[in-house]
Amino acid sequence: MEEKKFVQFKKEEFAVREYIKNSLGKGKISKVVIEYTPIGEKIRVFTNRPGIIIGRGGERIDELTRVLKKRFHMQNPYIEINEIKEPMLDAQLVADDIAMFLERRGSLKFKVIAYRALESIKKAGARGAEIALSGKLPSDRARTWKFRFGYLKKTGDLAAQVSKGSAQAQTISGVVGVKVSILRPDVKFEDQIEITDEVLEKIKRESLESGSGGKDGSAESEGN
């Protein structure tokens, strides 16, 4: 009985997330996190377009709050908007963008769309990334195309820090699946060694002292 309640609870939670994403617009929302507190439900929306999401005078947030209360029976929902500073390092936003470009420009230009997205991710400072497109591209038989650059860990502890996102594009030739994986620039490797400016200055001083000491020593040797 408890398992059924838990499954139903998760279904309702999923429905809330999907409604928020669809109502606020595809390509604008990275993720929706729902937290439960003693005073109500806290809904954290991660987006790269907070102004559009909030609306003039917060009208879109007010409308969304009313729907959450009436349709999803939430007691006291509080919506918090979290801005994503660099959207090209967020895998879900990139996946949604690629899907929208495929729908607008057609699946025949999938290589151009993928390579442009990959270049933008690289310019944003990512250590590595992979874009996988699955569907009838461009033949009648479905296949998967992968575009990648840099370093991207797929197993181990470091793999858990990889940003991942997925989306679907409804094209004339059929549905195209989009998967994006990005290794952000702030992720540190286990064997990574950092050399600070202080260490560099110390190395330079020691190098200069060693060089000047060698010259003095050779002069004394010649004098003897």
Side-chain angles (χ1 to χ4, degrees):
M1 190 66 180
E2 291 297 326
E3 290 182 0
K4 289 183 178 180
K5 287 183 179 180
F6 179 77
V7 171
Q8 182 61 30
F9 173 76
K10 286 299 179 182
K11 283 183 178 179
E12 293 174 357
E13 198 174 74
F14 176 78
V16 171
R17 290 196 185 97
E18 288 301 299
Y19 176 80
I20 292 174
K21 286 184 178 181
N22 293 331
S23 63
L24 296 180
K26 184 178 180 181
K28 300 182 182 70
I29 307 297
S30 170
K31 63 179 178 179
V32 178
V33 178
I34 303 175
E35 300 174 353
Y36 299 93
T37 68
I39 59 174
E41 302 88 358
K42 183 179 181 180
I43 301 168
R44 301 171 64 196
V45 179
F46 293 80
T47 176
N48 63 323
R49 300 178 181 178
I52 296 176
I53 299 302
I54 295 171
R56 183 179 296 178
E59 58 184 9
R60 297 193 72 184
I61 296 298
D62 293 339
E63 175 61 26
L64 182 58
T65 302
R66 286 193 292 269
V67 172
L68 292 175
K69 286 181 178 180
K70 186 176 181 180
R71 181 173 175 178
F72 296 98
H73 310 293
M74 287 189 167
Q75 299 298 320
N76 186 29
Y78 168 72
I79 301 173
E80 178 184 282
I81 304 299
N82 295 267
E83 183 180 4
I84 297 173
K85 299 294 185 181
E86 183 48 77
M88 294 312 298
L89 293 177
D90 188 286
Q92 186 57 53
L93 291 178
V94 174
D96 286 336
D97 277 345
I98 292 173
M100 287 190 293
F101 276 121
L102 288 170
E103 291 174 347
R104 292 172 187 170
R105 300 183 181 181
S107 58
L108 291 177
K109 295 186 177 181
F110 73 97
K111 288 185 179 181
V112 175
I113 294 171
Y115 279 124
R116 284 182 179 175
L118 211 61
E119 186 63 27
S120 297
I121 295 170
K122 190 175 183 179
K123 287 181 179 179
R127 289 175 175 263
E130 180 181 271
I131 297 172
L133 303 179
S134 302
K136 296 180 179 179
L137 299 167
S139 63
D140 292 334
R141 296 182 63 183
R143 58 175 298 185
T144 299
W145 292 76
K146 292 185 178 181
F147 310 83
R148 61 172 69 92
F149 83 90
Y151 183 85
L152 193 66
K153 190 73 171 177
K154 295 188 177 182
T155 59
D157 295 336
L158 194 60
Q161 301 183 57
V162 175
S163 175
K164 296 181 180 180
S166 60
Q168 287 187 341
Q170 302 291 337
T171 67
I172 296 175
S173 59
V175 178
V176 177
V178 181
K179 289 186 178 180
V180 178
S181 300
I182 301 174
L183 188 62
R184 297 173 57 86
D186 55 354
V187 174
K188 293 184 178 181
F189 300 150
E190 294 179 357
D191 57 349
Q192 181 176 341
I193 300 175
E194 292 186 1
I195 301 178
T196 63
D197 293 337
E198 184 180 348
V199 173
L200 285 174
E201 287 298 324
K202 185 178 180 181
I203 293 173
K204 287 180 181 179
R205 287 197 304 270
E206 291 178 351
S207 178
L208 290 172
E209 291 173 359
S210 175
S212 61
K215 289 179 181 179
D216 292 343
S218 61
E220 289 176 2
S221 176
E222 289 175 1
N224 292 332

